[in-house]
Amino acid sequence: MTERVVILDAGAQYGKVIDRRVRELSVECDLLPLDTPPDQLTQYAAMIISGGPQSVYDADAPRYDPAIFSLGVPVLGICYGMQLLCCAHGGSVARKARREDGQFEVEVEADCALFEGVSSRTPVLLTHGDSLNELPAGGRVVARSGDIVAAIEFAERKHYGVQFHPEVDLSKEGTHMLRNFLYRVCGLSGSYSMASREELAIECRPPARPPGKRGFAPPPPFRLPPPRRPCASRAGTSARASGRSACCASFRAASTQACVRRSSTKPSAASA
């Protein structure tokens, strides 16, 4: 198993932000749809389930295979992902009288691995209408926003859920929480970097095509186009125009001479 994390996207507007935060913490990750079959997820060391705009009870809610929670890897559910985790373990969520949209302070349990080193009261971004209603067996509430459950844990399974969004800047210590999940809970080493990604891409690059083998030929070298030749029709037109001009000039000259001769032969009034 490699040190890669899979992010299962449930339609979140912050899906790519989660992806970026994980990579910034030196962990390689892939972003896949929520309905990815479990047998395609066995290569990953951990799983993050993103938020989403729908209720887990909606008829058009994103489909998923409950077997993804039986792969034996750590799981972090974010917002919709926490509610999905709760229902998969036998709990329930419900639409409460109060919904949360914006930055709120939550109280966290310091003995939870996810919140180690985090302030006891920390501001986070909460955007949800449904809230946890019934805690599943084996679960523990590890954060609250007033009377609303903000985070749960299943310590033995290493499954965690947060109702807020640790990936955004409005969650002031969110990056620290993600680091705790990746390093303390998952035990990853953080060996991913752009340099290591470049080396891997070079190692996996397909070999060059040997000469004489069939395949896509390289593009021809760039050559400047030849100079344009004058158009024959335009050249003929210019010649004809020049000829007409010469004829006109000769006609004007002949007419002038004829006028001069007529004026010189006409008798004047004095001689008459």
Side-chain angles (χ1 to χ4, degrees), residues 120-138:
S120 59
R121 293 182 62 87
T122 182
V124 297
L125 176 66
L126 284 155
T127 57
H128 66 102
D130 290 355
S131 300
L132 190 144
N133 184 53
E134 183 181 355
L135 183 68

Side-chain angles (χ1 to χ4, degrees), residues 173-196:
E173 297 179 272
T175 300
H176 190 94
M177 299 173 196
L178 290 173
R179 183 184 292 109
N180 282 343
F181 176 73
L182 297 171
Y183 289 91
R184 297 186 181 278
V185 177
C186 303
L188 303 180
S189 62
S191 57
Y192 175 80
S193 65
M194 290 307 298
S196 66

